[in-house]
Amino acid sequence: MDELVVWLRDQLERDEQIAYAVDGSLGELDLTWKYEPEDELGGRVVSAQGADIIYDVTTAVGEHVSEHSPRRVLREIQNDREMLRQYEQLLRAHARHAEAEAELAADVAHHERTGHWEGPGNPESRRRALRREGDYLPAMLVVMEGWVRRKAAVYAHRPGYSEEW
């Protein structure tokens, strides 16, 4: 899964580069685009400053392009990066949970062999806490992993995509 996360992060980076290449001043200007019909055959897409972005386009193309402006792409990238960050946090939490379960099992086994409890905290309290985490962590992981896989599928046309994902 790490390979998928790295690859998907690279695709988001590429999309960001493409969006910024449209106009290096995205941070300074309002690059909201809008479609302006000129006649029954079509019109043009213009920036907030009135500059032509694309001219002589059909209505369908003009509306599509204006709706998918670099600003929107950048907002989507920001949201996707946050989702990816949350997925990575969940992967780490799941790994820590597995380690804590193994540690508790070792502490209990040691206690059963020696009759002395040397582990931290109360074993039953730890067991209950781990059980609660065990109830929701796997479910959350399945949901987030599904999102990551579906998001990656958007980029199936790009080099490095694996059908196994």
Side-chain angles (χ1 to χ4, degrees):
M1 193 54 62
D2 289 339
E3 184 179 329
L4 172 57
V5 170
V6 169
W7 183 84
L8 183 53
R9 189 178 287 115
D10 289 347
Q11 303 322 299
L12 296 173
E13 177 73 25
R14 177 70 182 125
D15 278 0
E16 184 178 59
Q17 291 169 355
I18 291 168
Y20 274 114
V22 172
D23 185 329
S25 61
L26 275 175
E28 301 166 21
L29 298 176
D30 177 8
L31 242 187
T32 304
W33 293 358
K34 65 181 178 177
Y35 173 69
E36 292 185 348
E38 294 179 335
D39 55 38
E40 66 278 353
L41 297 177
R44 62 193 187 127
V45 177
V46 298
S47 71
Q49 293 75 30
D52 279 344
I53 301 297
I54 304 173
Y55 55 91
D56 196 23
V57 294
T58 65
T59 300
V61 170
E63 289 176 348
H64 175 78
V65 170
S66 67
E67 187 61 30
H68 295 86
S69 70
R71 282 276 181 224
R72 176 178 170 171
V73 169
L74 291 171
R75 284 191 306 271
E76 288 176 356
I77 291 167
Q78 182 180 6
N79 290 332
D80 290 345
R81 282 183 173 147
E82 178 60 20
M83 292 291 288
L84 202 52
R85 187 191 65 72
Q86 290 176 7
Y87 175 65
E88 290 176 298
Q89 275 185 314
L90 189 55
L91 284 173
R92 288 189 297 273
H94 193 264
R96 284 191 305 272
H97 177 79
E99 291 169 6
E101 282 184 321
E103 182 182 296
L104 177 58
D107 290 345
V108 168
H110 175 77
H111 173 69
E112 289 172 356
R113 279 192 317 273
T114 65
H116 300 290
W117 178 255
E118 295 180 10
N122 178 307
E124 193 51 40
S125 295
R126 286 171 61 194
R127 188 176 285 119
R128 281 193 304 270
L130 287 170
R131 194 173 300 128
R132 282 190 304 272
E133 280 185 348
D135 286 344
Y136 71 83
L137 277 174
M140 290 175 63
L141 195 55
V142 166
V143 170
M144 290 297 289
E145 186 173 301
W147 175 86
V148 170
R149 290 176 188 274
R150 286 187 300 278
K151 187 63 186 181
V154 170
Y155 299 102
H157 64 286
R158 290 192 180 167
Y161 179 78
S162 173
E163 290 294 329
E164 295 172 10
W165 294 334

